[in-house]
């Protein structure tokens, strides 16, 4: 019997830094080793059998291994040489190396195998079941008792089982067995039997099953025995794959007719203080392959995990249920969709949600199942989770049939974050990254470094799992308009293992808000994919919702031109298998809007954007989508028990950019194209299921005018999803903003500059490499710019002045420096303190103190004042009332050191 003790630890997300951070809490009770997980995912050096491991047990720091094998060998790179081990080996729990206990399980004909190992409650006797006729030459019949201390067969224990014993459970006086046998000691016993723990004498216990038994467990109170296997009846009563019987008589206590699918069986049963757990395997369609938790109080179901993938073993330990399977589809419980196999999982004993522990094996040899059995051993205060089966790799490295994981010594660092940065407004920059993967830590700490600094500017904690790696983000609110910044991010687990720095993410903060993306965000988008990525597979979300996406099958990146005027790029889909899927599984409410831009000349149609039950492959449920027919018309559809659609009369496969918005809410459905409504439908409901937003393609089976291709060939840009219904005015505004002329930025270098010095009133500094500003004694710097006229159809939207402090010590100032207009004429070559021009007002902008050290500093200027001087000469002065001097580079500085310049932004009125 397996007991579970301990308390589930709580996790708190933390956030620090000089901006706003977003972390995502996605798993129950998750930190590092993320409690309640008790083991690292780092596989330890362990000797390897040359066949399949079917059984494990532990006593006194030894782990006993049974199976179908003939030798064991050292791990790759380990010392020692291969040695004989006929279906059994004893290994040191702490080193993974063989002990002195050597037993050979053989049979006169056929293939001997050890299928079950169980220890007496005092751990002094090891019971071994399987198919064999002798142990080290001593005759036995498929069940033997071994003295642990001497590693010898107990001669007085010789029950005669006529076929394979597959499962064992032991109390102080009884050994319960399950398997293929029909007789024991010549007496009829159908697949389950009980014998005396000391003498092996057959007991009256009778629980006859019609098909093989595979699992046996005794309840903690000793009153009942839980049976698992292939059977459909026990003692003539219908109870498929699972039954609870009286521990003395074998009479049914609880039957489970119709409880488990008829094409599924129970492969393993384990108990803890509160319940018991089944591992199930099915064959064919409509199977149950997952795990069930049942209460000991009434033997009723606590929860059911319907993941698909043939569960072979379950092990409750410290409130966590570890399982061995090849789980490939957990979408039914809101987790990963059908695809890659995952062989080792952990979840709370209280529910189905997977925890942040996911070392992995391959399927391996034999039946290609992977891991088949687990046990926990301990030595010198360290616990070890042992896993056996038929795998040949662990975490990608060669290792056959046996591995182990410790409760200490986490050495694996998280994967490197994939980071990007974007800025839509003049006072903030958003740093986004795909959360990292760590196989035994789900709550990771991310540190953000700006401009190559050694100290992080912010720290964010966020959760991730191997199947759910959402976007996390942090907003830098200390940036300056017009400045460029770089960011890098690291991930650290609870043991202090830190990833390498991410690749550098660069961003230039605009001097004014970018019209289109800023409007999408302020109108409440909770998903906003701009498709500006230069590398696979992360698709950043530019909204505050952190609903990132993932590229599938490598769509074409950074396609130009994009739909929106400016630097944004588009994504290209091939019409056969490329698409983007959301990393967040969710349910969609009754009110939503979906928006995207598209460009294509396809004649095969396809889905542009939609909601589906799967991330990859063809979804089983799919609606809330916009697709194109073969002739280029657009269809917006939902499913209410029948397909309900709006279809445009016009075609849009003209290889031009078009804007589409689909909305549904209390007022029904509306489809807009290029800012104008194209149809409505009084339908306020849709299919209710959990799924993912997808762009580029998904299932369209049974939808009207189904195109040749479910996948779409063309470009998409600026995909957004809103939890509200966009109004007609908002849709029109989005279309107009995207098609308006893009903002243009003009940088104007200073034409003349000099400064006046009260200490040298007659001296001209026009050819000096420096400028100076101080109130007492007086310095003032003068700048003149030749301003361009506004480009046709635009107005001045923003103006900013940039200056650079010199390299001399103390070049910065603690005083406020004002930028003011200059009244009167002056020239660089003729201005002195004595004839300096007058300073005007009010101030056009200010520098609120400038730090020492040579660096560029920028301040915004009053746009209206600068606009009046466009197309002509414009004079400015830098002045202060304080006593701390500011020293700047002038246009005459050698090596073109940061001369003063204006940055002018022009855009649509």
């Amino acid at each position: 019997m397996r007991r579970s003790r301990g308390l589930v630890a709580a996790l708190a997300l933390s956030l620090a830094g000089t901006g706003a951070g977003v972390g995502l809490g996605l798993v129950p009770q998750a930190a590092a080793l993320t409690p309640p997980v008790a083991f690292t995912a780092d596989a330890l050096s362990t000797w390897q059998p040359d066949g399949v491991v079917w059984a494990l047990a532990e006593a006194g720091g030894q782990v006993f291994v049974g199976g179908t094998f003939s030798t064991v060998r050292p791990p790759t790179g380990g010392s020692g040489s291969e040695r004989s081990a006929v279906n059994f080996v004893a290994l040191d729990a702490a080193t993974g190396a063989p002990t002195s206990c050597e037993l050979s399980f053989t049979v006169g004909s056929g293939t001997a195998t050890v299928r079950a190992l169980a220890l007496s409650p005092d751990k002094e006797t090891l019971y071994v079941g399987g198919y064999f006729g002798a142990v080290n030459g001593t005759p036995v019949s498929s069940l033997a008792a071994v003295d642990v201390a001497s590693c010898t067969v107990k001669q007085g224990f010789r029950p005669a089982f006529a076929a394979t014993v597959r499962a064992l459970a032991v109390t102080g006086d009884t050994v319960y067995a399950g398997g293929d046998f029909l007789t024991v000691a010549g007496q009829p016993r159908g697949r389950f039997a009980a014998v005396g723990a000391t003498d092996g004498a057959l007991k009256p216990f009778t629980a006859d099953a019609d098909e093989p038994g595979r699992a046996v467990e005794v309840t903690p109170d000793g009153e009942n025995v839980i049976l698992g296997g292939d059977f459909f009846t026990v003692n003539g009563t219908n109870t498929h794959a699972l039954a609870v019987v009286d521990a003395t008589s074998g009479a049914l206590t609880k039957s489970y007719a119709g409880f488990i699918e008829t094409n599924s069986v129970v492969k393993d049963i384990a108990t803890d203080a509160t319940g018991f757990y089944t591992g199930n395997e099915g064959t064919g369609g409509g199977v149950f392959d997952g795990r069930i938790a049942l209460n000991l109080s009434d033997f009723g179901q606590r929860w059911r995990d319907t993941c698909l993938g043939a569960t072979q073993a379950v092990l409750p330990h410290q409130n966590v249920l570890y399982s061995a399977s090849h789980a490939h589809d957990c979408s039914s419980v809101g987790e990963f969709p059908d695809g890659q196999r995952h062989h080792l999982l952990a979840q709370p004993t209280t529910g189905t949600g997977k925890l942040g522990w996911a070392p992995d094996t391959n399927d391996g040899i034999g039946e290609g199942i992977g891991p088949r059995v687990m046990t926990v051993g301990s030595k010198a205060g360290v616990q070890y989770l042992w896993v056996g089966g038929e795998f040949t790799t662990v975490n990608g490295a060669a290792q056959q049939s046996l591995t182990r994981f410790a409760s200490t010594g986490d050495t694996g660092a998280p994967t490197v974050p994939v980071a990007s940065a974007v800025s839509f407004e003049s006072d903030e920059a958003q740093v986004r990254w795909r959360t990292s993967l760590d196989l035994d830590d789900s709550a990771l700490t991310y540190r953000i470094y700006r401009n190559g600094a050694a100290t992080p500017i912010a720290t964010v904690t966020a959760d991730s799992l191997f199947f759910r790696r959402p976007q996390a983000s942090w907003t830098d609110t200390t940036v300056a308009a017009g400045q460029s910044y770089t960011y890098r991010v690291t991930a650290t687990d609870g043991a202090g293992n830190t990833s390498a720095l991410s690749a550098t993410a660069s961003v230039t903060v605009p001097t004014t808000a970018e019209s289109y993306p800023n409007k999408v965000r302020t109108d409440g988008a909770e998903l906003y994919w701009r498709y500006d990525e230069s590398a696979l597979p992360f698709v950043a979300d530019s909204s505050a919702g952190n609903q990132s996406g993932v590229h599938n099958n490598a769509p074409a990146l950074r396609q130009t031109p994009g739909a929106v005027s400016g630097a944004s790029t588009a994504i290209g889909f091939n019409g056969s298998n490329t698409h983007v899927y959301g990393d967040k599984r969710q349910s969609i409410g009754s009110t939503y809007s979906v928006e995207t831009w598209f460009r294509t000349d396809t004649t095969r149609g396809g889905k542009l954007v939609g909601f589906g039950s799967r991330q990859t492959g063809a979804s089983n449920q799919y609606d809330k989508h916009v697709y194109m027919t073969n002739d280029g018309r657009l269809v917006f559809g939902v499913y209410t028990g029948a397909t309900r659609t709006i279809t445009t009369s016009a075609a849009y496969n003209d290889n031009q950019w078009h804007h589409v918005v689909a909305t549904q809410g209390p007022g029904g459905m509306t489809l807009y194209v290029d800012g104008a409504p194209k149809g409505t439908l009084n339908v306020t409901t849709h299919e209710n299921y959990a799924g993912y937003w997808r762009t580029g393609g998904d299932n369209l089976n049974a939808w009207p005018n189904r195109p040749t291709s479910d996948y779409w060939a063309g470009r998409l840009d600026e995909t957004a999803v809103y939890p509200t219904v966009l109004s007609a005015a908002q849709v029109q505004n989005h279309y107009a903003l995207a098609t308006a002329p893009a903002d243009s930025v003009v940088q104007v270098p200073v034409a003349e500059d000099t400064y006046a010095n009260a200490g040298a009133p007659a001296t001209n500094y026009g050819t000096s490499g420096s400028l100076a500003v101080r109130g007492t004694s007086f310095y003032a710097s003068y700048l003149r710019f030749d301003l361009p006229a506004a480009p046709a159809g635009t107005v001045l939207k923003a103006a900013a002045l940039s200056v650079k402090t010199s390299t001399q010590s103390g070049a910065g100032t603690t005083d406020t420096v004002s930028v003011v207009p200059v009244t009167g004429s002056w020239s660089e070559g003729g201005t002195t303190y004595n004839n300096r021009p007058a300073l005007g007002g009010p101030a056009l902008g200010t520098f609120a103190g400038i730090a020492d050290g040579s660096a560029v500093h920028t301040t915004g200027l009053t746009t209206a004042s600068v606009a009046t001087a466009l197309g002509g000469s414009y004079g400015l002065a830098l002045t202060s009332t304080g006593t701390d001097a500011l020293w700047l580079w002038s246009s005459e500085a050698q090596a073109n050191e940061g001369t003063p310049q204006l940055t002018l932004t022009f855009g649509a009125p």
Side-chain angles (χ1 to χ4, degrees):
M1 292 184 292
R2 304 172 180 126
R3 302 283 192 266
S4 177
R5 301 180 180 87
L7 297 175
V8 176
L11 164 71
L13 294 181
S14 64
L15 170 68
T18 55
V22 178
L24 298 121
L26 297 171
V27 295
Q29 303 292 353
L33 295 180
T34 303
V37 169
F39 301 99
T40 79
D42 304 318
L44 299 176
S45 176
T46 307
W47 279 56
Q48 309 168 69
D50 64 348
V52 178
V53 171
W54 294 101
L56 294 168
E58 182 271 344
Q62 281 191 104
V63 172
F64 303 108
V65 181
T68 310
F69 51 84
S70 60
T71 65
V72 290
R73 65 187 185 276
T76 302
S79 61
S81 58
E82 184 175 87
R83 62 177 68 181
S84 176
V86 182
N87 301 315
F88 178 90
V89 66
L91 302 175
D92 185 280
T95 67
T99 69
S100 60
C101 179
E102 297 182 7
L103 299 171
S104 294
F105 289 78
T106 57
V107 70
S109 62
T111 301
T113 183
V114 171
R115 292 299 181 107
L117 296 170
L119 286 151
S120 59
D122 59 13
K123 291 199 171 186
E124 292 181 358
T125 304
L126 173 68
Y127 295 91
V128 183
Y131 178 70
F132 46 83
V135 183
N136 284 1
T138 299
V140 292
S141 184
S142 295
L143 179 60
V146 176
D147 179 73
V148 172
S150 63
C151 190
T152 58
V153 175
K154 291 191 172 184
Q155 300 283 347
F157 181 88
R158 290 196 180 183
F161 282 78
T164 303
V165 172
R166 298 183 179 274
L168 294 172
V170 185
T171 66
D173 59 3
T174 304
V175 177
Y176 296 92
D180 301 349
F181 51 86
L182 297 176
T183 64
V184 179
Q187 300 298 310
R189 290 292 188 273
R191 279 86 182 203
F192 294 98
V195 299
T198 302
D199 57 10
L202 184 64
K203 293 201 169 191
F205 175 91
T206 302
D208 290 340
D210 60 335
E211 295 289 344
R214 297 186 181 275
V216 182
E217 282 286 323
V218 181
T219 57
D221 60 11
E223 295 182 0
N224 291 281
V225 179
I226 308 162
L227 312 178
D230 302 3
F231 52 82
F232 290 86
T233 65
V234 172
N235 292 338
T237 299
N238 291 333
T239 179
H240 175 52
L242 184 66
V244 181
V245 299
D246 181 82
T248 301
S249 68
L252 271 169
T253 302
K254 172 75 173 180
S255 63
Y256 292 90
F259 183 68
I260 295 173
E261 282 74 359
T262 57
N263 53 350
S264 296
V265 302
V266 169
K267 296 296 291 287
D268 191 27
I269 299 171
T271 62
D272 65 10
T274 64
F276 64 98
Y277 309 86
T278 69
N280 302 267
E281 175 185 87
T283 304
V287 302
F288 174 60
D289 260 354
R291 293 154 289 281
I292 305 174
L294 300 101
N295 299 314
L296 288 171
S297 57
D298 59 3
F299 304 124
Q301 179 174 293
R302 182 191 307 163
W303 52 256
R304 180 178 291 223
D305 184 339
T306 54
C307 288
L308 295 175
T311 304
Q312 303 298 307
V314 286
L315 174 62
H317 177 75
Q318 295 181 356
N319 294 336
V320 172
L321 184 68
Y322 298 90
S323 60
S325 69
H326 55 255
H328 58 86
D329 185 354
C330 286
S331 58
S332 61
V333 291
E335 296 172 335
F336 53 90
D338 195 11
Q340 179 182 347
R341 291 183 168 192
H342 304 279
H343 297 86
L344 295 170
L345 300 174
Q347 60 200 92
T349 54
T350 54
T352 63
K354 305 305 178 292
L355 296 168
W357 184 82
D360 204 11
T361 73
N362 64 353
D363 291 343
I365 58 178
E367 297 177 42
I369 293 292
R372 288 185 174 274
V373 64
M374 298 183 292
T375 196
V376 173
S378 62
K379 191 170 184 179
V382 178
Q383 293 183 317
Y384 300 91
L385 174 63
W386 286 70
V387 178
E390 55 196 47
F391 48 86
T392 58
T393 66
V394 179
N395 292 341
Q399 176 71 23
Q400 184 169 342
S401 300
L402 198 58
T403 190
R404 61 202 177 98
F405 307 93
S407 58
T408 61
D410 181 13
T411 60
T415 59
V416 179
V418 178
S420 65
V422 67
S423 180
F424 302 120
E425 301 184 48
S426 60
D427 58 356
E428 66 180 40
Q430 182 193 45
V431 186
R432 302 91 52 96
W433 61 94
R434 190 184 193 199
T435 47
S436 298
L437 172 62
D438 190 291
L439 294 179
D440 46 33
D441 295 329
S442 58
L444 301 177
T445 299
Y446 298 88
R447 292 178 174 85
I448 302 98
Y449 298 84
R450 187 172 77 175
N451 292 344
T455 302
I457 192 173
T459 300
V460 171
T461 299
D463 284 358
S464 57
L465 295 168
F466 68 92
F467 60 88
R468 184 183 296 137
R469 294 174 56 192
Q471 174 176 296
S473 65
W474 174 77
T475 300
D476 189 350
T477 57
T478 65
V479 296
Q483 294 289 320
S484 295
Y485 298 88
T486 62
Y487 300 91
R488 302 182 78 179
V489 183
T490 63
T492 303
D493 66 14
N497 302 306
T498 299
S499 74
L501 285 161
S502 70
T504 299
S506 302
V507 66
T508 298
V509 180
T511 54
T512 59
E514 294 186 20
S515 300
Y516 183 86
N518 195 53
K519 190 61 177 174
V520 170
R521 285 155 51 92
T522 57
D523 278 348
E526 63 181 8
L527 177 155
Y528 185 18
W529 297 340
R530 302 204 73 198
Y531 307 116
D532 292 336
E533 289 73 33
S534 57
L536 302 169
F538 174 55
V539 182
D541 180 11
S542 293
S543 80
N546 281 314
Q547 293 195 51
S548 55
V550 179
H551 300 106
N552 191 59
N553 292 322
L557 306 183
R558 298 195 64 78
Q559 301 295 290
T560 56
V564 176
S565 300
S568 181
T569 60
I571 191 169
F573 298 107
N574 63 11
S576 61
N577 64 355
T578 57
H579 68 278
V580 169
Y581 61 83
D583 208 11
K584 178 180 180 180
R585 190 171 188 264
Q586 58 187 301
S587 296
I588 305 303
S590 59
T591 300
Y592 64 92
S593 299
V594 183
E595 174 180 41
T596 198
W597 286 79
F598 67 93
R599 178 176 180 172
T600 188
D601 59 2
T602 185
T603 57
R604 301 179 69 249
K607 186 180 294 190
L608 283 69
V609 59
F611 193 74
S613 59
R614 295 181 60 180
Q615 292 175 312
T616 61
S619 291
N620 300 316
Q621 296 171 285
Y622 40 95
D623 74 335
K624 298 174 280 295
H625 52 207
V626 175
Y627 61 92
M628 180 174 280
T629 62
N630 286 346
D631 58 6
R633 292 175 296 143
L634 293 178
V635 181
F636 168 36
V638 300
Y639 185 73
T640 62
T643 58
R644 307 300 301 275
T645 59
I646 303 170
T647 305
T648 65
S649 58
Y652 296 95
N653 56 345
D654 56 2
N655 208 28
Q656 300 297 314
W657 279 111
H658 296 284
H659 178 234
V660 59
V661 177
T663 71
Q664 186 179 27
M669 300 166 58
T670 304
L671 177 64
Y672 300 87
V673 181
D674 294 339
K678 298 298 180 182
T680 60
L681 193 63
N682 187 24
V683 174
T684 60
T685 61
H686 54 73
E687 190 170 10
N688 184 22
Y689 58 94
Y692 308 88
W693 286 108
R694 288 174 55 160
T695 61
D698 197 359
N699 203 347
L700 283 170
N701 183 40
W703 283 81
N705 298 305
R706 183 183 184 182
T708 301
S709 174
D710 291 347
Y711 285 80
W712 190 72
R715 296 179 181 179
L716 289 184
D717 202 2
E718 307 293 331
T719 300
V721 177
Y722 306 79
T724 59
V725 171
L726 292 179
S727 67
Q730 286 175 310
V731 173
Q732 174 59 38
N733 188 24
H734 288 199
Y735 177 68
L737 287 174
T739 54
D743 288 355
S744 60
V745 177
V746 178
Q747 292 181 329
V748 183
V750 68
E752 289 189 289
D753 55 3
T754 189
Y755 75 95
N757 179 359
T763 303
N764 171 259
Y765 293 93
T767 59
S768 170
S770 297
L771 300 172
V773 182
R774 185 170 61 192
T776 306
S777 61
F778 180 86
Y779 297 153
S781 291
Y782 301 93
L783 314 172
R784 186 178 65 77
F785 298 90
D786 293 331
L787 302 184
T794 69
V795 296
L796 182 67
K797 298 179 68 176
L801 173 67
S802 297
V803 295
K804 186 175 183 181
T805 47
S806 73
T807 54
Q808 73 182 61
S809 177
T813 181
T814 59
D815 298 329
T816 297
V817 174
S818 298
V819 183
V820 298
V822 174
T823 60
S825 61
W826 62 277
S827 67
E828 180 180 271
T831 299
T832 67
Y833 176 81
N834 290 332
N835 65 6
R836 67 190 186 282
L839 305 179
L844 305 173
T846 58
F847 295 94
I850 292 178
D852 199 9
S854 185
V856 174
H857 300 272
T858 301
T859 184
L861 303 181
T862 304
T863 304
S865 297
V866 179
T868 61
L870 291 175
S873 178
Y874 189 51
L876 300 172
L878 300 177
T879 186
S880 170
T881 59
T883 59
D884 188 12
L886 170 68
W887 291 93
L888 307 170
W889 292 119
S890 75
S891 58
E892 282 77 21
Q894 294 180 357
N896 195 28
E897 282 280 4
T899 59
Q901 71 174 16
L902 285 177
T903 299
L904 307 179
T905 303
F906 298 96

